[in-house]
Amino acid sequence: MLEDLYPQAVQIGISSTDFWSMTFDEIMVQVEANKKRHENELREKAMFDYSQQRMAIFAFNDPKNFPKFEEAYPFLASIEKEVQQGLSEEEQYRQDMQRDQEIMMKNIQAIQATKERNKNKQ
């Protein structure tokens, strides 16, 4: 039975090495997942194609009212916001690390000064 599924499974994106180590249920789940991913990719491509055609019509007929990039692709703003949030979190992490390093350096200097004073007292 699996021998019959093998060519179809490889055709839809399951690697041959993975196929032979999977159970029938796992193969069917992977097939459905690959099918959904492909459908989503087609839907996304169709949306981009449609947006491109709308913008081409604007550019030809009414170039003064051509939509801005953010208006044409509003979902990109949320992606950019997530990226900026990630960058700001990284910057905050770096600032915290730098502050911790400065505190540690001051503590090391204080310890060295204390050792030096104790050494001079003896």
Side-chain angles (χ1 to χ4, degrees):
M1 182 160 106
L2 289 179
E3 291 82 18
D4 297 333
L5 288 176
Y6 177 71
Q8 296 169 350
V10 171
Q11 184 179 7
I12 63 161
I14 299 175
S15 72
S16 58
T17 54
D18 290 340
F19 177 83
W20 294 112
S21 65
M22 298 170 84
T23 66
F24 179 75
D25 290 336
E26 291 172 333
I27 292 170
M28 296 311 294
V29 167
Q30 188 65 50
V31 165
E32 284 299 315
N34 289 357
K35 181 181 172 188
K36 284 276 190 193
R37 187 179 71 243
H38 183 67
E39 288 172 356
N40 288 337
E41 288 171 357
L42 287 176
R43 190 174 294 115
E44 184 177 285
K45 184 178 179 336
M47 286 175 40
F48 278 117
D49 290 347
Y50 180 75
S51 294
Q52 184 179 18
Q53 289 301 318
R54 285 185 61 199
M55 288 189 289
I57 290 169
F58 261 112
F60 183 75
N61 293 322
D62 194 8
K64 291 181 182 177
N65 291 325
F66 191 78
K68 295 180 182 178
F69 183 77
E70 296 81 15
E71 294 169 354
Y73 300 106
F75 62 91
L76 292 177
S78 65
I79 293 172
E80 184 176 344
K81 184 179 176 183
E82 289 175 9
V83 168
Q84 290 300 325
Q85 182 181 359
L87 290 175
S88 65
E89 288 175 2
E90 178 68 22
E91 182 60 31
Q92 182 64 40
Y93 173 76
R94 288 181 184 171
Q95 289 175 358
D96 291 345
M97 189 168 62
Q98 185 176 4
R99 188 184 69 241
D100 291 346
Q101 287 175 345
E102 290 171 359
I103 291 170
M104 185 169 297
M105 290 304 292
K106 288 179 183 178
N107 287 340
I108 289 171
Q109 290 171 354
I111 290 170
Q112 287 175 343
T114 302
K115 284 183 178 180
E116 190 65 35
R117 280 193 309 269
N118 287 341
K119 190 184 227 184
N120 290 339
K121 286 182 183 178
Q122 295 175 348

